[in-house]
Amino acid sequence: MASESKKPFKLTINLEQSSPETLIELLKEPSLEGSVLDQIAKLYSWNESLMEGVLIHPHVTPQTLFFLFNTASAEFKKRMQQLKGISASGAGRELVPVKDLVQESLSEKESIPKDEPSVEKLSLFQRVQRMTVSEKVQFALHGGKDARSLLLKDPNRQVSQAVLGSPKITEDEILLIAQSRNVSDEILRTVGKNKEWMKNYSIRFSLICNPKTPLGISMAMLTSINGKDLGILSKNKNIPEAVRMGAIRLLAAKQKQS
């Protein structure tokens, strides 16, 4: 008697409202379709524990891997590279090599007109638009650089502040924030109060040059600026007058001492 073919897995839960624990169990189902894996990836790409399950699933598609590679953090990209050439459990085939995904990424980007937003960025924006505040906070804490850049502009203070709390944020990103006039003064205040970031001279000077930086933050940092940059500040008409005059006084005092 011929053995009965296994019935296709029928999804009976709402992916958007499911807990991570439920989804981890779901990913253990070997007959889960690639389209479901793709949905999970696009909804929860910030949750690297879940994405581990997506990566090793036998039905994960090259398109899903490509999406993850373009939205993942640097650490998770390394994890994807570790999986290169390793057989997916029960798949009878190998995962698409990461180098092929990179080449595919370059080829697709070259074919997209420069005045049109990329599919990846549209997808990221659309996913963020569907998130609750708590989900945005988690995404800000655990997502990649593109996610942080987008969520930094979120009107909800809890979300934008969570970006600065991400353990993955770099000093290069903080420098760009210090230079930006498109972030809130509260974000700049938080940057200015962080002792570790304030050890970076470029960040301090950029904050003082930014007219949106709260006056108290700028004035407190003036004494740490060298003479050459005080001269630049003394001629800068875009910064608050109190900061400019403070730079003039400090520069005069330094010149007297020399």
Side-chain angles (χ1 to χ4, degrees):
M1 183 178 177
S3 58
E4 295 183 4
S5 60
K6 189 173 181 179
K7 294 181 179 179
F9 180 82
K10 185 177 181 181
L11 188 66
T12 58
I13 62 172
N14 186 322
L15 294 177
E16 293 185 53
Q17 298 178 1
S18 300
S19 67
E21 292 77 14
T22 299
L23 294 173
I24 286 174
E25 289 301 313
L26 178 64
L27 288 170
K28 294 177 182 178
E29 172 54 53
S31 61
L32 202 62
E33 294 182 351
S35 59
V36 177
L37 295 170
D38 192 63
Q39 290 180 57
I40 294 174
K42 289 179 178 177
L43 286 169
Y44 301 98
S45 62
W46 52 267
N47 189 319
E48 295 183 354
S49 295
L50 279 178
M51 293 310 100
E52 284 273 357
V54 171
L55 283 180
I56 64 174
H57 196 280
H59 290 160
V60 64
T61 65
Q63 290 79 13
T64 300
L65 291 174
F66 174 64
F67 169 80
L68 286 177
F69 189 80
N70 280 279
T71 57
S73 64
E75 292 82 0
F76 199 68
K77 284 181 180 178
K78 290 179 182 179
R79 178 60 180 150
M80 292 187 75
Q81 289 167 344
Q82 290 172 358
L83 290 174
K84 173 186 173 182
I86 298 177
S87 295
S89 176
R93 58 175 174 78
E94 293 186 332
L95 292 176
V96 176
V98 170
K99 66 178 182 180
D100 292 348
L101 294 179
V102 175
Q103 187 58 47
E104 184 181 350
S105 172
L106 292 174
S107 298
E108 291 200 4
K109 286 180 180 177
E110 287 173 357
S111 67
I112 298 174
K114 290 184 179 180
D115 59 347
E116 292 184 15
S118 68
V119 174
E120 289 82 9
K121 288 186 179 179
L122 278 176
S123 176
L124 178 64
F125 178 78
Q126 289 169 347
R127 284 186 297 133
V128 167
Q129 290 295 99
R130 297 170 64 183
M131 289 180 181
T132 64
V133 170
S134 61
E135 287 171 339
K136 287 181 181 179
V137 168
Q138 289 301 311
F139 198 23
L141 290 171
H142 304 293
K145 183 178 178 179
D146 287 345
R148 290 192 293 275
S149 178
L150 179 59
L151 292 170
L152 188 68
K153 303 178 182 70
D154 194 276
N156 187 295
R157 182 177 180 276
Q158 186 180 2
V159 174
S160 57
Q161 289 288 341
V163 172
L164 298 181
S166 171
K168 299 179 181 180
I169 199 166
T170 66
E171 284 198 351
D172 286 342
E173 290 176 75
I174 296 300
L175 179 58
L176 290 175
I177 292 171
Q179 296 169 342
S180 175
R181 300 187 185 187
N182 295 321
V183 297
S184 70
D185 57 348
E186 280 301 311
I187 289 293
L188 296 174
R189 186 190 304 278
T190 300
V191 171
K193 288 184 176 181
N194 187 294
K195 293 181 180 180
E196 285 301 310
W197 295 334
M198 289 306 96
K199 291 178 182 178
N200 185 312
Y201 182 87
S202 296
I203 293 176
R204 295 201 306 274
F205 185 61
S206 295
L207 279 176
I208 296 174
C209 290
N210 193 330
K212 291 191 70 174
T213 300
L215 186 59
I217 297 293
S218 296
M219 294 299 291
M221 294 186 295
L222 263 182
T223 55
S224 70
I225 302 304
N226 63 42
K228 179 182 176 181
D229 289 334
L230 284 173
I232 293 174
L233 290 171
S234 69
K235 300 173 184 178
N236 189 338
K237 298 293 182 67
N238 294 318
I239 59 178
E241 187 66 9
V243 176
R244 193 174 73 84
M245 293 305 297
I248 291 174
R249 287 193 295 271
L250 284 171
L251 181 59
K254 284 180 180 288
Q255 289 173 342
K256 285 183 180 180
Q257 293 173 359
S258 61

